[in-house]
């Protein structure tokens, strides 16, 4: 519990600091003026730019508004009763707009939000946990919210921020640096190392009361070092020395909730088959991979594959890999319908061309599609096989077409 006087001082100091900050490149989440009767909830990994986006909207307001960043250490012990004290301040200021940054750790915050929505308040929320986008939240707010995700800078945002051209040089630069805004500004790898550890410790260990943080960090390091590779939970238990299969499953789910890693299943019409087959690991950002993984910086093939996955994940949630006799990297579904097949290869040559083409062709036959793409670093051509067309595109061209 915090006194109203202290809360008033915190609000004023946060607002004063925000007005002095340069909020940089505008981040696009979608139109928000029409969300008057709904809370707009933006979830994403720590340090990807959610707070900046919230600040950009707040600074553009021409009406009184309440902005509260819950990561402020002065708010330790903040609870639901303090929400009502914040509302008393809002009433005095004649404000009907709330901006809540990193709200996920406030117990039962959704009760306050739902009540104020019913009174006509407009509310913007960010958080670093995918539970903010869960079905459970939909039940608590009974359809009174719009859900969005934010990722680190896309390639398009990266070249705009760096004032670079869409060419092979900028692709290679983006491939190695990733899209975390603070790192792109400074180039200091300590920023990525610290952010990676903060996610594992603050967003996972502290949130889920995990005592053995060393084991959790070891697991995170193994996953980031094996980005774009297959794994099974059982084999990983033996490597990391976690005896309980349920504990391993919980730990892996926490990485997903925090947006640090994604685990892509093998395509199958059988859900049981998807569960028992190996999954592929992808990391939220190549900067994390290059900085925190062991011996990864020159593996262009896996870095490109991870980069392609993240670009796809911005648009789609149902993504699989295909593996029968051959393998295809990505099968993309949208609303239950297969919409695209992609193979990823940094450089196609005589050593790998047959493998890459045959893997994509087998998936095209399986799904009965006539056209699919192979994404490369800088090659461009077209292959025909048995009446099916495989279009080879450099990453930068594919991004602007996708």
């Amino acid at each position: 519990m915090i006194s109203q006087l202290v809360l008033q001082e915190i609000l004023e100091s946060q607002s004063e600091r925000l007005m002095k900050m340069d909020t940089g490149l505008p981040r696009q989440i979608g139109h928000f003026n029409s969300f008057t009767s709904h809370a707009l909830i933006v979830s994403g990994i720590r340090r990807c730019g959610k707070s900046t986006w919230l600040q950009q909207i707040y600074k553009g307001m021409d009406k009184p508004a309440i902005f509260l960043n819950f990561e402020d250490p002065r708010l330790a012990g903040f609870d639901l009763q303090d929400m009502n004290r914040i509302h008393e301040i809002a009433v005095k200021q004649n404000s009907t707009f709330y901006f809540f940054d990193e709200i996920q750790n406030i117990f039962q915050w959704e009760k306050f939000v739902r009540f104020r929505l019913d009174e006509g308040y407009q509310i913007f929320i960010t958080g670093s946990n995918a539970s903010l986008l869960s079905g459970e939240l939909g039940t608590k707010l009974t359809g009174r919210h719009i859900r969005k995700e934010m990722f680190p800078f896309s390639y398009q945002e990266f070249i705009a921020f760096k004032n670079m051209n869409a060419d092979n040089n900028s692709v290679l630069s983006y491939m190695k640096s990733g899209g975390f805004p603070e790192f792109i500004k400074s180039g200091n790898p300590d920023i990525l190392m610290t952010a990676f550890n903060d996610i594992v410790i603050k967003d996972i260990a502290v949130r889920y009361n995990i005592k053995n943080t060393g084991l959790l960090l070891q697991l995170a390091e193994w996953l980031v070092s094996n980005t774009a590779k297959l794994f099974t939970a059982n084999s990983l238990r033996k490597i990391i020395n976690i005896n309980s299969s349920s504990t391993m499953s919980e730990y892996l789910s926490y990485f997903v909730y925090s947006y640090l890693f994604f685990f892509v299943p093998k395509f199958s019409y059988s859900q049981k088959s998807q569960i028992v087959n190996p999954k592929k690991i992808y990391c939220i950002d190549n900067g994390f991979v290059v900085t925190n993984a062991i011996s990864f910086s020159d593996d262009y093939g896996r870095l490109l594959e991870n980069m392609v996955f993240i670009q796809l994940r911005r648009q789609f949630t149902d993504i699989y890999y295909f593996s029968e006799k051959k393998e295809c990297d990505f099968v993309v579904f949208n609303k239950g319908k297969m919409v695209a097949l992609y193979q990823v290869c940094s450089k196609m040559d005589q050593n790998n061309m047959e493998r890459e083409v045959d893997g994509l062709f087998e998936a095209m036959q399986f799904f009965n599609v006539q056209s699919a793409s192979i994404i490369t670093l800088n090659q461009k051509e077209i292959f025909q096989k048995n009446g099916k067309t495989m279009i080879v595109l450099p990453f930068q061209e594919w991004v602007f077409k996708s």
Side-chain angles (χ1 to χ4, degrees):
M1 187 179 299
I2 305 173
S3 72
Q4 189 175 108
L5 178 61
V6 171
L7 289 172
Q8 179 72 56
E9 291 174 351
I10 293 172
L11 287 169
E12 290 174 357
S13 66
Q14 286 193 6
S15 178
E16 183 178 348
R17 183 177 63 86
L18 286 178
M19 299 312 292
K20 292 178 180 178
M21 290 176 60
D22 176 11
T23 50
L25 183 74
R27 303 300 303 273
Q28 298 298 322
I29 291 295
H31 192 59
F32 60 86
N33 289 331
S34 60
F35 297 159
T36 305
S37 61
H38 292 69
L40 178 56
I41 301 176
V42 177
S43 184
I45 196 162
R46 177 185 290 267
R47 313 309 299 169
C48 74
K50 302 183 304 299
S51 298
T52 298
W53 168 80
L54 204 63
Q55 292 161 12
Q56 288 168 349
I57 300 174
Y58 175 75
K59 290 179 72 171
M61 295 287 296
D62 57 0
K63 298 177 181 178
I66 295 291
F67 186 105
L68 197 59
N69 180 352
F70 288 102
E71 290 209 313
D72 191 320
R74 294 172 295 179
L75 293 174
F78 189 98
D79 59 24
L80 197 60
Q81 293 184 44
D82 294 317
M83 282 289 201
N84 294 324
R85 293 185 178 83
I86 292 293
H87 183 65
E88 291 172 6
I89 296 172
V91 171
K92 291 177 183 178
Q93 295 180 356
N94 197 29
S95 171
T96 58
F97 293 85
Y98 282 110
F99 293 82
F100 293 137
D101 195 13
E102 299 293 353
I103 201 174
Q104 68 273 0
N105 292 324
I106 305 304
F107 183 60
Q108 295 185 327
W109 60 267
E110 65 278 354
K111 290 185 176 181
F112 175 85
V113 169
R114 176 56 206 258
F115 188 76
R116 299 308 168 196
L117 286 172
D118 290 342
E119 292 185 330
Y121 285 79
Q122 190 163 349
I123 303 175
F124 302 87
I125 294 168
T126 72
S128 298
N129 193 282
S131 64
L132 290 175
L133 301 177
S134 68
E136 180 184 359
L137 181 61
T139 301
K140 292 175 179 176
L141 291 181
T142 58
R144 296 294 302 277
H145 64 291
I146 304 294
R147 304 186 298 182
K148 301 288 183 179
E149 290 179 307
M150 180 177 281
F151 292 76
F153 279 168
S154 66
Y155 173 69
Q156 298 97 314
E157 289 174 313
F158 174 82
I159 61 175
F161 186 80
K162 298 276 286 185
N163 195 26
M164 299 178 76
N165 296 320
D167 55 24
N168 187 243
N169 288 333
S170 60
V171 170
L172 290 174
S173 180
Y174 181 63
M175 176 187 290
K176 293 183 177 181
S177 71
F180 278 100
E182 287 183 57
F183 176 67
I184 295 171
K185 290 178 185 178
S186 68
N188 183 356
D190 288 344
I191 289 174
L192 293 179
M193 292 179 184
T194 301
F196 188 85
N197 285 328
D198 281 349
I199 292 161
V200 176
I201 301 302
K202 295 181 180 179
D203 296 337
I204 299 178
V206 173
R207 181 177 177 84
Y208 299 104
N209 196 29
I210 297 173
K211 304 300 183 184
N212 194 340
T213 56
L215 192 65
L216 193 67
L217 283 166
Q218 184 185 352
L219 177 57
E221 185 177 308
W222 189 93
L223 290 169
V224 78
S225 298
N226 287 274
T227 295
K229 287 186 176 182
L230 293 167
F231 83 105
T232 65
N234 280 334
S235 62
L236 187 50
R237 278 199 305 117
K238 298 173 185 177
I239 295 171
I240 305 299
N241 196 27
I242 295 177
N243 295 325
S244 168
S245 58
S246 62
T247 298
M248 175 59 78
S249 296
E250 287 175 359
Y251 285 6
L252 294 175
S253 68
Y254 298 155
F255 286 123
V256 174
Y257 295 155
S258 67
Y259 288 96
L260 185 54
F261 296 109
F262 303 87
F263 305 117
V264 173
K266 175 184 174 180
F267 174 80
S268 174
Y269 289 112
S270 164
Q271 189 172 14
K272 181 179 178 181
S273 179
Q274 289 183 18
I275 293 171
V276 300
N277 276 292
K279 292 181 172 59
K280 256 190 172 181
I281 308 161
Y282 293 102
C283 182
I284 185 65
D285 188 76
N286 274 15
F288 274 168
V289 178
V290 172
T291 303
N292 294 284
I294 299 171
S295 301
F296 209 121
S297 60
D298 295 326
D299 196 332
Y300 285 4
R302 287 161 62 197
L303 287 172
L304 179 61
E305 185 177 333
N306 193 68
M307 199 160 66
V308 169
F309 170 78
I310 295 302
Q311 180 65 21
L312 290 172
R313 182 58 184 77
R314 294 173 190 277
Q315 306 169 66
F316 307 100
T317 56
D318 292 334
I319 304 173
Y320 307 86
Y321 72 90
F322 178 87
S323 181
E324 295 296 333
K325 293 179 181 178
K326 306 288 184 178
E327 184 173 312
C328 174
D329 292 317
F330 299 116
V331 182
V332 181
F333 276 71
N334 187 29
K335 298 179 180 179
K337 180 181 179 182
M338 199 284 294
V339 294
L341 296 172
Y342 295 107
Q343 194 77 296
V344 182
C345 179
S346 61
K347 180 181 179 181
M348 294 185 66
D349 55 31
Q350 295 305 312
N351 295 322
N352 62 16
M353 186 174 295
E354 182 178 346
R355 181 182 72 245
E356 302 295 347
V357 169
D358 287 353
L360 183 58
F361 179 74
E362 185 181 20
M364 294 172 74
Q365 285 186 309
F366 183 90
F367 291 103
N368 192 27
V369 299
Q370 300 304 309
S371 179
S373 300
I374 301 175
I375 304 165
T376 68
L377 280 178
N378 55 17
Q379 291 171 276
K380 185 176 182 180
E381 53 188 305
I382 296 177
F383 294 111
Q384 300 281 350
K385 184 172 181 177
N386 293 1
K388 296 187 184 294
T389 302
M390 285 161 273
I391 303 169
V392 182
L393 281 174
F395 176 81
Q396 68 270 21
E397 288 193 29
W398 168 71
V399 164
F400 283 98
K401 290 181 178 180
S402 62

